[in-house]
Amino acid sequence: MSMNSFGHLFRVTTWGESHGPALGATVDGCPPGVTIDEAMIQHWLDKRKPGQNKFTTQRREPDQVKILSGVFEGQTTGTPVQLMIENTDQRSKDYGDIIDKFRPGHADITYWQKYGIRDYRGGGRSSARETASRVAAGGLAREAIKQIAPNVQITGFMTQIGPHKIDRGNFDWSQIEQNPFWTPDAQAARDWAAYLDDLRKSGNSVGAVVEVVARGVPAGIGAPVYAKLDTDLAAAMMSINAVKGVEIGEGMAAAELTGEANADEIFMGQNGPQYSSNHSGGILGGISTGQDLVVRFAVKPTSSILTTRKTITKSGEETEIITKGRHDPCVGIRAVPVGEAMMACVILDHLLLHRGQIGENRGRIG
Amino acid sequence: MSMNSFGHLFRVTTWGESHGPALGATVDGCPPGVTIDEAMIQHWLDKRKPGQNKFTTQRREPDQVKILSGVFEGQTTGTPVQLMIENTDQRSKDYGDIIDKFRPGHADITYWQKYGIRDYRGGGRSSARETASRVAAGGLAREAIKQIAPNVQITGFMTQIGPHKIDRGNFDWSQIEQNPFWTPDAQAARDWAAYLDDLRKSGNSVGAVVEVVARGVPAGIGAPVYAKLDTDLAAAMMSINAVKGVEIGEGMAAAELTGEANADEIFMGQNGPQYSSNHSGGILGGISTGQDLVVRFAVKPTSSILTTRKTITKSGEETEIITKGRHDPCVGIRAVPVGEAMMACVILDHLLLHRGQIGENRGRIG
Amino acid sequence: MSMNSFGHLFRVTTWGESHGPALGATVDGCPPGVTIDEAMIQHWLDKRKPGQNKFTTQRREPDQVKILSGVFEGQTTGTPVQLMIENTDQRSKDYGDIIDKFRPGHADITYWQKYGIRDYRGGGRSSARETASRVAAGGLAREAIKQIAPNVQITGFMTQIGPHKIDRGNFDWSQIEQNPFWTPDAQAARDWAAYLDDLRKSGNSVGAVVEVVARGVPAGIGAPVYAKLDTDLAAAMMSINAVKGVEIGEGMAAAELTGEANADEIFMGQNGPQYSSNHSGGILGGISTGQDLVVRFAVKPTSSILTTRKTITKSGEETEIITKGRHDPCVGIRAVPVGEAMMACVILDHLLLHRGQIGENRGRIG
Amino acid sequence: MSMNSFGHLFRVTTWGESHGPALGATVDGCPPGVTIDEAMIQHWLDKRKPGQNKFTTQRREPDQVKILSGVFEGQTTGTPVQLMIENTDQRSKDYGDIIDKFRPGHADITYWQKYGIRDYRGGGRSSARETASRVAAGGLAREAIKQIAPNVQITGFMTQIGPHKIDRGNFDWSQIEQNPFWTPDAQAARDWAAYLDDLRKSGNSVGAVVEVVARGVPAGIGAPVYAKLDTDLAAAMMSINAVKGVEIGEGMAAAELTGEANADEIFMGQNGPQYSSNHSGGILGGISTGQDLVVRFAVKPTSSILTTRKTITKSGEETEIITKGRHDPCVGIRAVPVGEAMMACVILDHLLLHRGQIGENRGRIG
C-alpha cells in the first residue's frame, strides 16, 4: 500500500533524496540464514557507480553501503535489513535558476504542483540516486535467491542506444562484462562509443533499451491475474525513473505476430518440458515456464541538457532555462544494474509467495 | 498483497472462472454517494460482449451484471460493492484432448505445474472472461471519478492489428464509435476488416495494439517512486491476459529520442501550465501533468487456433493438438473496453490516494 | 490495505449487508488441493445460525452457502473462492422511527455522519449477519489447515455471561457441545439458562466473554513486531462487531502478576520443549511456542432493547426511541463460532506466511 | 503486508535491534508541509528514555534521533521520512549463559525455533528499544495531525501497577506530568512509589495497565469492519512488546453490562451530538463518535528478573537461569509514551484514509 514500497513478501521500501544526509532501503521479509556482508552488496553498487568512464556522469558518489540491522554474525536474522548509503558529495553550490524555474522533462513542476514544497537541490526522490537503494536491496535478494533456487542467474545488458540496436547475430554472453555498455554485441559497443562521444560533446543526451534475462528460474512461480509475474516485472521496471516502456518476451512486437507464429511448441526434455521458442518470455498465464525470463525496458534521455529550453517560473512567467551540471549522456547505461536488481527482487518475492501458498510445485509432468 | 486484487484505496478483487457458476468483482473503497445502477455498468459490459460482429468470438455470453451489495436507493454507501456476472453458456461438451494435453501458448502447462489441479474447461482465471469483472468495476470507477474530477474522459482505441498501424494523420475521435475496431482511422478500419476476415477464415489469429487516453486528468496525482502513475498504469495493463508490452507516452520509442527532442517545453496558459508536446504521456516524475494520459499496450494473438501444434501430455508424452472452438481472431479488439476500465480504476485510485495524503494540490503556479 | 479485508496471504474480503440480495466472502490465497464442498462449510454456518434455541434471535436466516468459484471437482484450485449467502428473510416491513432516529449504542449515527447515506433496514455492514461470511471463510480455513498442520484443533466456548463466570474447576471439554452456550462448565450452563431467560423476558440484553483455544499449533508461526501472532489475533477478534476487549493468555490480568509468577518455566519433553504453565497464551515475542493458543474477547450487550432511550433525529431534534424486533438477548453466544473462524483464518495465514519466509522451522532443540 | 509495518496510508516500518549499529522508523505517506525538526521528535523520545528515575532501567540510552530524509527546510516534503537512532551503549560484555539458554518468558526460544539464528545480545526486535522507533514516528504523527484536526489531544497515563488501581475519583489531568508514573491520581503515585521500590530491591518485576485518551477527535473516522478504528487501535497496542490485553471503552467489563446500562444516550449539543456517557470509548460501528477515544492495555511484567528459573539449553538439556542486568521493574511505565505514539499514528492514518475515501464528512445533523 505504501507509496515507496515494492514487493509482497520480500518488501523493499526505499527512502532518501539525492541531497539529504543519506538514502537507503528498508528490506522486510528476507529469509533468515542468508550469508551476507557489506562487501557482497557493495559489489553491485560499484557496478552502478557513476564516474567510471566518460559515458556516465562525472559526479563522485562513493555509494558506500552500511548494514544497520537484520544481520548477525554474517547472516540475515529474518528481521528488517536496513541498507544505508550516506550522501557525501553535497557541495554547497549556487542553485540559481533551478529554485524558481521548472526544468522541462523533469519532475520539478509536478512535484511543486502536488506537494507545494520541493528539494530543488537535486531530483529529490526522482533522482537517479534513488536507484542505488534498489541495487543494494537487489544485492541482498540475489544472495537470498541462492538459498531457494540456486540455479538462477540474472544478467542485464543494453540492446539499443538511440536509434542503434544490437545485432542479435553477434550476441555473446561473454562480451557483456567487456565493454562500458554491458552489451553482448562487441561491434555495437565500438559503434556506440563513437556515437555517444559526439553526443556528450554536444551537450545532448539519448535514450536506450535495456534487457534483463533470468536463467534457471523454476517453473511455477507467479499467479494468474493481478500478481502475474509479468505484472510485477512490468511494475518493477516502470517504477525506475525515466523508464517509459516495458516488454515481456516479444513485447510490443507480439502485436505483429499470428497465433501460429507466436505459440511456443512444447517437447519433452530430460528434465521436463522444453519449448521450440520463447516468444512468451518465460511466462504463460502469469506463471513461469522454466524458460529464460526476458524483460526489456526503454529509458528516456536525460532532460538535463545544455540546450536552452522554454519554460515558466513558479509565479507563472515565461522564461528559458539551461541545465548545467554533471549529467549522464545516456542514463540508460547505469540502468542495467538497476534492472537486474529489480529482477532479483521480483524473483525472490515470487519464490517466497509461491512457497507460502503452495509449498512445493504440485503438478508433475511425466 | 492479495494475488487477485488491484489498487490501493479503490481496491478491486476479481474472482471466478469461465466455467464456474459465476464470476465478478468485489470493489472495496468506493466513495459513498456515487449514483449507480446495473444499467450504467451494463453499458460498458455490452461494449466488451462477444458475438457482436464477425471479428469477435461467436460465444454467447449475455454478461448480465448484478449488484449484490454496497448500493442503497441508487447510491453507493461506501461499503464493498459486489458485482456478479453469472455464467450461462456452460454447455456440457466433450473436452477431449484438452484434459490431458497442454495447449502451446496457453496457461495450461504452468497452471498444472504450479497448482497440480486445473479447470480444463476454459482458461480458468486466465480466460478472457475474467476481464468482464474488470469492465464492471471500471464502470463503477467512471461514475465515482465524476464526483471528484468531472472533466475526466477516458477513451480507448486500436492503433495496430498485426503489421497494420493506423495513420495518425487520419486521427478522428468521432470515428472511434463508428467501426468494429474502435479505431480513429476510418481507412484503417476498412483495411483491417478485409485483413481480419481472411485471417479468421484461415483459422489463424493475430495480435494488436490498444491505446487508452484520459483527457481532463488534473495535475498532481501519482507519486514519485513505486506508486508512480506510470507504474500503476503499467501494472494495470500488463495484468490483462495476453498483454506483453506497455508504453507510456513515447514508450519504447523514447529510446530513440535525444534529450533535446524529448523535453516538452512549458508555457503559461490561461488555466495553468501548457506544454509544446506530450512525449511524457502526461506524467513527469510519476505525477500527472494535466496533459492527456497516454498508455498503449500490445495484446498477443490468441493461441487457440486451427493449426496443429506440437505439445506434450501430463504424462510427458509428445503429441499434437488442435484447438477447435469459438475463439477471437483478434482478442485485442475486445481489450479496448478492458483497457479503458483499468485506466478508470487507476485514475480513481490515485485521485483518492492524492486526496488522502495531500487534500488539495498545495503548489500554485502564477 | 482495503477496509474490508483481513489477512496477509490467506486474505478474506467480506461484502454485503443484512438486507441486500446477498453477502459473502471473497477468499484469496487459499492453497490448492484442499478438499472442500458446500456441506463442509455449511456445518459451521449451522452452528452460528440464529433461532436454534430461545437464547438467540428468532429471525430465520437459512444462511445457505454457495461456492461460486475457486473449487473444481471438490478441490480448491488456488484461485479466489467466492462464498455467497443469499439473504432470504427480507420481508418488507415498516421501518418507522429507525429511518430518522439514531439508536443509542448502534452504528446508525456514525454511519450517517461519515457517509451521509445509510441502509436503515438493518445494521448494514455492522449487522451481526456480516459474521456469517467470516464463519464461511473460517470453514474453508479449517480444511486448509489440515493440509499443513493436521493436529490443529480450534475450540471456542463461553466463559462469562453478564457477571456470571464459569468455574475453571468444572472445565470439561466434552461439555462444550452439550449446552446452548458452548460452555465447558455444565453448572454454569444451567445457571445461565435461568438468568438469561429472565433477561430475555424483560426485553434487556447482556454482554459475554468468549474464549477460543487452538491446540496443536506448531511452534514458530508469527513474527516479532507488527505481524505478531498476538497482534493479528487481537485485530481479528476486535474486528468482530460488538467486541470491546481482547486478551491473549493472562490478558488484562497480566498487570497483576510479578515477573516471577508470570514466567512459564521450560522443560524438555519427548517431543520438544514443555512449559510449567501457559501465562503467555502460547505466544512469546509474537511467535507461537507450541502450547495452546488462548484468546478471549468481550462482547458488549446488544443495544437493540425494549427499553425507551433518549436520542436525536437527523434534523437534530431530541426524542426517544424503543427498538422492537427479533434480537439476541446475548449476542455473545453466537460469537463463539465467529471467534473460532477468525482463529482459523489467522492460524492458516501465519502458517502460509511462515512457509513463505522460512520454509521449515530452522532452529532445532535437542 | 510486510511484517514490520503498521498503518494504511501513514505507514510506519520500524527496523533495528537493540545491539546493532542503529534502529529507526521509515515513515511513508506523511502529508507534505508539516513543520518538523529533530527537537520536536526528541521531546517525545526523552519522555520514554530510560534511566530518568529509579523505577526504570538504569541503562543509558541517549536515544538521539536524526532525520535522514523527507524533510526540507523544516517541512515534510511528502516523501519517506527516515528517523534513525544510533545505538551507543553497546558495551562489549560477557553474555555467558544467554547464548545457549532460553530465558523463560522471553522470545529467545521462539526466535530460535523459527529463525535458527538469534542476536542473543539483547531482545532483538522484541527488545523494548524497538519502541523508541515508534515514539519517534508518533512524534511526527502528532505534528501532522495538527494540520488536519488541530483539536486532537493525546494523553497516556497509568491506571494500575500490579494489583493497585487508581481511584477514578482522584482523576486529575494536571497530575499526570507531576509524577514518575504519569498517573492522574496523586495518591496512587505515592503508594506505587513505595510498592515498586520494594519490588525493585527484591529483583522482581510487575505488570501494569496504561490508558491512552484522545480528545478532540472528529466524528466519522474509521470504517465498519476490518479497518474499524477499534481494530486498528487494538492491533497497534497489542503490537507493543509485552502487551497481553487491549480494551476499548468499557473493554472486558462490557461483558458485565446490560444493554440498558451500556447504551450511551444521545442529546443535541451546540456543536452537534452529545452523549450521556462513553461506554463505547468513542467508537460506534468502528467509526469515531467525536467523544474521547479511550484505549487501555495491559503490560506483562518483565521476565528479566533476579530469581532463578528452570529452563533448557539449545541442545535440550534442562538447567536453570538467572537474568542479571539493568532491567525495568515495571516496563509498563515507559509504555505510556509508546501507547500515545501508537494512538497518534492510528488517528493520523484514519484521518488520511477518511479524507481519501470520503473527503469531508457527508452527513449533517441538525
Side-chain angles (χ1 to χ4, degrees):
Chain A
M1 170 61 238
S2 81
M3 282 169 278
N4 292 278
S5 297
F6 186 78
H8 305 266
L9 283 182
F10 182 77
R11 191 156 175 82
V12 176
T13 305
T14 72
W15 54 272
E17 288 89 22
S18 58
H19 284 70
L23 48 76
T26 310
V27 183
D28 197 4
C30 187
V34 175
T35 300
I36 194 79
D37 62 22
E38 290 171 355
M40 292 162 84
I41 293 175
Q42 194 63 43
H43 171 79
W44 303 106
L45 281 167
D46 288 347
K47 183 170 177 182
R48 178 200 157 279
K49 195 165 62 176
Q52 304 198 97
N53 58 55
K54 63 184 171 181
F55 304 119
T56 59
T57 172
Q58 296 307 302
R59 274 195 310 276
R60 309 303 301 267
E61 298 166 349
D63 283 355
Q64 198 70 39
V65 70
K66 288 185 187 167
I67 299 176
L68 298 186
S69 67
V71 175
F72 181 62
E73 297 182 343
Q75 289 200 316
T76 56
T77 61
T79 62
V81 180
Q82 181 60 263
L83 302 169
M84 180 177 72
I85 299 161
E86 283 167 297
N87 287 322
T88 53
D89 183 27
Q90 302 177 59
R91 46 178 156 171
S92 149
K93 70 168 193 182
D94 176 15
Y95 287 95
D97 279 1
I98 301 179
I99 299 178
D100 282 315
K101 294 182 182 176
F102 304 115
R103 288 166 292 176
H106 262 92
D108 295 350
I109 190 167
T110 52
Y111 267 53
W112 172 253
Q113 287 178 295
K114 183 179 187 90
Y115 299 117
I117 181 172
R118 176 172 71 84
D119 183 346
Y120 49 78
R121 296 170 303 170
R125 290 288 290 159
S126 295
S127 165
R129 257 190 88 56
E130 187 273 340
T131 61
S133 306
R134 301 172 185 238
V135 171
L140 175 57
R142 281 176 186 267
E143 299 306 316
I145 288 170
K146 289 180 187 167
Q147 203 185 61
I148 304 173
N151 295 327
V152 171
Q153 253 187 296
I154 297 167
T155 314
F157 45 87
M158 296 193 75
T159 62
Q160 184 178 345
I161 286 191
H164 306 294
K165 301 184 185 180
I166 63 167
D167 177 348
R168 294 264 166 185
N170 295 341
F171 198 106
D172 179 354
W173 289 102
S174 72
Q175 283 298 318
I176 294 175
E177 297 285 328
Q178 309 302 321
N179 61 73
F181 306 106
W182 292 297
T183 182
D185 176 353
Q187 182 57 49
R190 283 187 290 273
D191 297 344
W192 294 354
Y195 168 74
L196 209 59
D197 217 24
D198 286 351
L199 204 76
R200 181 177 60 79
K201 286 173 186 160
S202 71
N204 209 338
S205 65
V206 76
V209 174
V210 173
E211 184 166 313
V212 183
V213 174
R215 291 170 283 177
V217 175
I221 69 169
V225 193
Y226 300 108
K228 280 169 73 173
L229 198 50
D230 342 37
T231 303
D232 284 354
L233 284 170
M237 300 309 168
M238 195 64 100
S239 76
I240 302 170
N241 55 359
V243 172
K244 300 303 280 185
V246 181
E247 302 187 316
I248 308 289
E250 284 292 334
M252 299 305 292
E256 303 190 17
L257 294 179
T258 62
E260 196 173 330
N262 185 60
D264 307 311
E265 291 182 299
I266 315 176
F267 300 88
M268 196 62 195
Q270 288 210 308
N271 302 306
Q274 288 190 327
Y275 295 83
S276 64
S277 51
N278 189 14
H279 297 290
S280 74
I283 309 175
L284 284 174
I287 300 169
S288 62
T289 62
Q291 292 184 275
D292 289 356
L293 275 187
V294 181
V295 184
R296 262 182 316 283
F297 56 92
V299 183
K300 71 176 184 182
T302 322
S303 47
S304 298
I305 49 175
L306 292 178
T307 313
T308 300
R309 309 295 296 159
K310 291 182 178 161
T311 190
I312 60 175
T313 65
K314 276 203 269 187
S315 54
E317 285 160 46
E318 299 196 341
T319 180
E320 293 188 331
I321 193 165
I322 183 165
T323 312
K324 291 167 190 161
R326 301 156 296 169
H327 296 288
D328 289 272
C330 179
V331 76
I333 301 173
R334 290 170 57 212
V336 172
V338 181
E340 291 177 334
M342 296 311 287
M343 175 69 97
C345 291
V346 170
I347 290 174
L348 175 59
D349 190 31
H350 274 279
L351 286 168
L352 299 181
L353 269 178
H354 180 81
R355 184 165 70 176
Q357 192 193 3
I358 315 282
E360 299 286 323
N361 267 1
R362 297 180 61 91
R364 301 268 166 250
I365 294 177
Chain B
M1 171 59 240
S2 79
M3 282 170 279
N4 292 278
S5 298
F6 186 78
H8 305 265
L9 283 180
F10 182 78
R11 191 155 176 84
V12 177
T13 305
T14 72
W15 53 272
E17 288 88 23
S18 59
H19 284 69
L23 49 76
T26 309
V27 183
D28 197 4
C30 187
V34 175
T35 300
I36 194 78
D37 62 21
E38 289 170 356
M40 293 162 86
I41 293 174
Q42 194 61 45
H43 171 78
W44 303 106
L45 280 167
D46 288 348
K47 185 170 177 182
R48 178 199 160 280
K49 194 166 62 176
Q52 302 197 95
N53 58 56
K54 63 184 171 182
F55 304 118
T56 58
T57 172
Q58 296 307 302
R59 275 196 308 277
R60 310 302 302 265
E61 297 166 348
D63 283 353
Q64 197 70 38
V65 71
K66 287 186 187 168
I67 299 176
L68 297 186
S69 66
V71 175
F72 182 61
E73 297 182 343
Q75 289 201 317
T76 56
T77 60
T79 62
V81 180
Q82 181 59 262
L83 302 168
M84 180 177 73
I85 298 161
E86 284 167 297
N87 288 322
T88 53
D89 183 27
Q90 302 178 58
R91 45 179 156 170
S92 151
K93 69 168 191 182
D94 177 14
Y95 288 95
D97 279 359
I98 303 180
I99 299 177
D100 282 315
K101 295 181 183 177
F102 305 113
R103 290 166 290 176
H106 263 89
D108 295 349
I109 190 167
T110 52
Y111 267 52
W112 172 254
Q113 288 178 291
K114 182 180 188 88
Y115 299 118
I117 181 172
R118 177 173 70 86
D119 183 347
Y120 50 77
R121 296 170 302 170
R125 291 287 290 158
S126 294
S127 165
R129 257 191 88 56
E130 186 271 343
T131 61
S133 306
R134 301 173 185 237
V135 171
L140 175 57
R142 282 176 184 265
E143 299 306 315
I145 289 170
K146 289 180 185 166
Q147 203 186 61
I148 303 173
N151 295 326
V152 171
Q153 255 188 293
I154 297 166
T155 314
F157 45 87
M158 295 194 75
T159 63
Q160 184 178 343
I161 286 191
H164 307 293
K165 300 184 185 181
I166 62 167
D167 177 347
R168 294 264 166 183
N170 294 342
F171 198 106
D172 178 354
W173 289 102
S174 70
Q175 284 298 320
I176 294 173
E177 298 284 329
Q178 308 301 320
N179 61 73
F181 306 106
W182 292 297
T183 182
D185 175 353
Q187 183 57 49
R190 284 187 291 271
D191 297 345
W192 294 354
Y195 169 74
L196 210 58
D197 218 24
D198 286 351
L199 203 77
R200 182 178 59 81
K201 286 173 186 160
S202 70
N204 209 338
S205 64
V206 76
V209 175
V210 173
E211 183 167 315
V212 184
V213 175
R215 291 170 283 178
V217 175
I221 70 169
V225 193
Y226 300 107
K228 280 169 74 172
L229 199 48
D230 341 38
T231 303
D232 284 355
L233 285 169
M237 300 310 168
M238 195 64 99
S239 76
I240 301 170
N241 54 359
V243 172
K244 299 302 279 185
V246 181
E247 302 187 315
I248 309 288
E250 284 291 333
M252 298 306 290
E256 303 190 17
L257 295 179
T258 62
E260 195 174 331
N262 185 60
D264 307 310
E265 291 183 299
I266 315 175
F267 300 88
M268 195 64 195
Q270 287 210 308
N271 303 308
Q274 288 191 330
Y275 296 82
S276 63
S277 51
N278 188 16
H279 297 290
S280 76
I283 308 174
L284 284 173
I287 300 169
S288 62
T289 63
Q291 292 184 276
D292 289 356
L293 276 187
V294 181
V295 184
R296 262 181 317 283
F297 56 91
V299 183
K300 72 176 184 182
T302 320
S303 46
S304 299
I305 50 175
L306 292 178
T307 313
T308 300
R309 310 294 295 158
K310 292 183 176 158
T311 189
I312 60 175
T313 64
K314 276 203 270 188
S315 53
E317 285 159 45
E318 299 197 340
T319 181
E320 293 188 332
I321 194 166
I322 182 166
T323 313
K324 291 167 190 160
R326 302 156 296 168
H327 296 288
D328 290 271
C330 179
V331 76
I333 300 173
R334 290 169 57 212
V336 172
V338 182
E340 291 177 334
M342 296 312 286
M343 175 69 97
C345 290
V346 171
I347 290 174
L348 175 59
D349 190 31
H350 274 279
L351 285 167
L352 299 181
L353 268 179
H354 180 82
R355 185 164 70 176
Q357 192 193 5
I358 316 281
E360 299 286 323
N361 267 1
R362 298 178 62 90
R364 301 271 166 248
I365 293 177
Chain C
M1 170 62 236
S2 82
M3 282 171 278
N4 292 278
S5 298
F6 186 78
H8 305 266
L9 283 183
F10 182 78
R11 190 156 176 83
V12 177
T13 304
T14 73
W15 54 272
E17 289 88 22
S18 58
H19 284 69
L23 47 77
T26 311
V27 183
D28 197 4
C30 187
V34 176
T35 300
I36 194 78
D37 63 21
E38 290 171 356
M40 292 163 86
I41 294 175
Q42 195 62 44
H43 171 79
W44 302 107
L45 281 167
D46 289 347
K47 184 169 177 182
R48 178 201 158 278
K49 194 167 62 177
Q52 303 198 97
N53 59 54
K54 63 185 172 182
F55 305 117
T56 58
T57 172
Q58 296 307 300
R59 273 195 311 277
R60 309 303 301 265
E61 297 166 348
D63 282 354
Q64 198 69 39
V65 71
K66 287 185 189 168
I67 298 176
L68 298 185
S69 66
V71 176
F72 181 62
E73 297 183 343
Q75 290 201 316
T76 56
T77 60
T79 63
V81 180
Q82 182 59 263
L83 303 168
M84 181 177 73
I85 299 161
E86 283 167 298
N87 288 321
T88 52
D89 183 27
Q90 303 177 58
R91 47 179 153 171
S92 151
K93 70 170 194 182
D94 176 15
Y95 287 94
D97 279 0
I98 301 178
I99 299 177
D100 282 316
K101 294 180 182 178
F102 304 114
R103 289 166 292 175
H106 262 90
D108 295 350
I109 191 167
T110 51
Y111 266 52
W112 172 253
Q113 287 178 293
K114 183 179 187 89
Y115 298 116
I117 181 172
R118 177 172 70 85
D119 184 346
Y120 50 77
R121 296 170 303 170
R125 291 287 290 159
S126 295
S127 165
R129 256 189 91 54
E130 186 272 341
T131 61
S133 306
R134 300 173 185 238
V135 171
L140 175 57
R142 282 176 185 266
E143 299 307 315
I145 288 171
K146 288 180 186 167
Q147 203 185 61
I148 304 173
N151 295 326
V152 171
Q153 253 189 295
I154 297 167
T155 314
F157 45 86
M158 296 194 75
T159 62
Q160 183 178 345
I161 286 192
H164 306 294
K165 300 184 185 180
I166 62 166
D167 178 348
R168 294 266 167 181
N170 295 340
F171 198 106
D172 178 354
W173 289 103
S174 72
Q175 284 297 319
I176 293 174
E177 297 284 329
Q178 308 301 321
N179 60 73
F181 305 107
W182 291 299
T183 183
D185 175 354
Q187 182 57 48
R190 284 187 290 273
D191 298 344
W192 294 355
Y195 168 75
L196 209 59
D197 217 24
D198 286 351
L199 202 77
R200 182 178 59 81
K201 287 174 186 157
S202 72
N204 209 339
S205 64
V206 75
V209 174
V210 173
E211 184 166 313
V212 183
V213 175
R215 291 170 283 177
V217 175
I221 69 169
V225 192
Y226 299 108
K228 281 168 73 172
L229 198 51
D230 341 38
T231 303
D232 283 354
L233 284 169
M237 301 308 169
M238 194 64 100
S239 77
I240 302 170
N241 56 359
V243 172
K244 299 302 280 185
V246 180
E247 302 187 318
I248 308 289
E250 284 291 334
M252 298 306 292
E256 302 189 17
L257 295 179
T258 62
E260 195 173 328
N262 186 61
D264 307 312
E265 290 182 300
I266 315 175
F267 300 89
M268 197 60 195
Q270 289 209 307
N271 303 307
Q274 288 191 327
Y275 296 82
S276 63
S277 51
N278 189 14
H279 296 291
S280 75
I283 308 174
L284 284 174
I287 301 168
S288 62
T289 62
Q291 293 184 275
D292 289 356
L293 275 187
V294 181
V295 183
R296 264 182 315 284
F297 56 90
V299 184
K300 71 175 185 182
T302 321
S303 47
S304 298
I305 50 174
L306 293 177
T307 314
T308 301
R309 309 295 296 159
K310 290 181 179 161
T311 189
I312 60 174
T313 64
K314 274 204 271 189
S315 54
E317 285 160 44
E318 299 196 339
T319 180
E320 293 186 329
I321 194 167
I322 183 166
T323 313
K324 292 167 188 159
R326 301 156 297 168
H327 295 288
D328 289 271
C330 179
V331 76
I333 301 173
R334 290 170 56 213
V336 172
V338 182
E340 291 177 334
M342 296 311 286
M343 175 69 97
C345 290
V346 171
I347 289 174
L348 175 58
D349 189 31
H350 274 279
L351 286 168
L352 300 181
L353 268 179
H354 180 81
R355 185 164 69 177
Q357 192 193 5
I358 315 281
E360 299 287 321
N361 268 1
R362 297 178 62 90
R364 300 270 167 248
I365 293 177
Chain D
M1 170 59 240
S2 80
M3 282 171 278
N4 292 277
S5 297
F6 186 79
H8 306 264
L9 282 181
F10 182 78
R11 191 154 176 84
V12 176
T13 304
T14 72
W15 54 272
E17 289 88 23
S18 58
H19 285 69
L23 48 77
T26 310
V27 183
D28 197 5
C30 187
V34 175
T35 300
I36 195 77
D37 63 21
E38 290 171 355
M40 292 162 84
I41 293 175
Q42 195 61 46
H43 171 79
W44 303 107
L45 281 167
D46 287 347
K47 185 171 177 180
R48 178 199 159 281
K49 194 166 63 177
Q52 303 198 97
N53 59 56
K54 63 183 171 183
F55 305 119
T56 58
T57 173
Q58 297 306 302
R59 273 194 311 276
R60 309 303 302 266
E61 297 165 350
D63 282 354
Q64 198 71 36
V65 71
K66 286 186 188 168
I67 299 176
L68 297 186
S69 67
V71 175
F72 181 61
E73 298 182 343
Q75 291 201 315
T76 56
T77 61
T79 62
V81 180
Q82 181 58 264
L83 302 168
M84 180 178 73
I85 298 161
E86 284 166 297
N87 288 321
T88 53
D89 183 27
Q90 302 179 58
R91 46 177 154 173
S92 151
K93 68 169 193 182
D94 175 16
Y95 287 96
D97 279 1
I98 302 180
I99 298 178
D100 282 316
K101 294 182 181 177
F102 304 114
R103 290 166 292 175
H106 262 89
D108 295 348
I109 190 167
T110 52
Y111 267 51
W112 172 253
Q113 286 178 293
K114 183 181 187 87
Y115 299 116
I117 181 172
R118 176 173 71 85
D119 183 347
Y120 50 77
R121 296 170 304 170
R125 290 287 291 157
S126 294
S127 164
R129 256 189 89 56
E130 187 272 343
T131 61
S133 306
R134 301 174 186 238
V135 170
L140 175 57
R142 282 176 185 266
E143 298 307 314
I145 288 171
K146 288 180 185 167
Q147 202 186 62
I148 303 173
N151 295 326
V152 171
Q153 255 188 293
I154 297 167
T155 314
F157 44 87
M158 295 193 76
T159 63
Q160 184 179 343
I161 285 191
H164 306 293
K165 299 183 184 182
I166 62 166
D167 177 348
R168 294 264 168 183
N170 294 341
F171 197 106
D172 178 354
W173 289 103
S174 71
Q175 283 298 318
I176 294 173
E177 298 285 327
Q178 308 301 321
N179 60 73
F181 306 106
W182 291 298
T183 183
D185 176 353
Q187 182 56 49
R190 283 186 292 272
D191 297 345
W192 294 355
Y195 168 75
L196 210 59
D197 217 24
D198 285 353
L199 203 76
R200 181 178 60 81
K201 287 174 186 159
S202 71
N204 209 338
S205 65
V206 76
V209 175
V210 172
E211 183 167 314
V212 183
V213 175
R215 292 170 283 178
V217 175
I221 69 170
V225 193
Y226 300 106
K228 281 169 73 175
L229 199 48
D230 341 39
T231 302
D232 283 354
L233 285 169
M237 300 309 169
M238 195 63 99
S239 76
I240 302 170
N241 54 359
V243 171
K244 299 303 279 186
V246 180
E247 303 187 316
I248 308 289
E250 284 291 334
M252 298 305 291
E256 303 190 15
L257 294 179
T258 62
E260 195 173 332
N262 185 60
D264 306 311
E265 290 182 300
I266 314 175
F267 300 88
M268 196 62 195
Q270 287 209 309
N271 303 308
Q274 289 190 328
Y275 295 83
S276 64
S277 51
N278 189 14
H279 296 290
S280 76
I283 308 175
L284 285 173
I287 300 168
S288 63
T289 63
Q291 294 183 275
D292 289 357
L293 275 187
V294 181
V295 184
R296 262 182 317 284
F297 56 92
V299 183
K300 71 176 185 182
T302 321
S303 46
S304 298
I305 50 175
L306 293 178
T307 313
T308 300
R309 311 293 296 157
K310 291 182 178 157
T311 190
I312 59 175
T313 64
K314 276 203 270 188
S315 54
E317 286 159 42
E318 300 197 339
T319 181
E320 293 188 332
I321 194 166
I322 182 166
T323 313
K324 291 168 189 158
R326 301 155 298 167
H327 295 288
D328 289 271
C330 178
V331 76
I333 301 173
R334 290 169 57 212
V336 172
V338 181
E340 291 176 336
M342 296 311 286
M343 175 68 96
C345 289
V346 171
I347 290 174
L348 175 59
D349 190 31
H350 274 279
L351 286 167
L352 300 181
L353 268 179
H354 179 81
R355 186 163 71 176
Q357 192 193 6
I358 315 282
E360 298 286 321
N361 268 359
R362 297 180 62 92
R364 300 271 166 247
I365 294 177

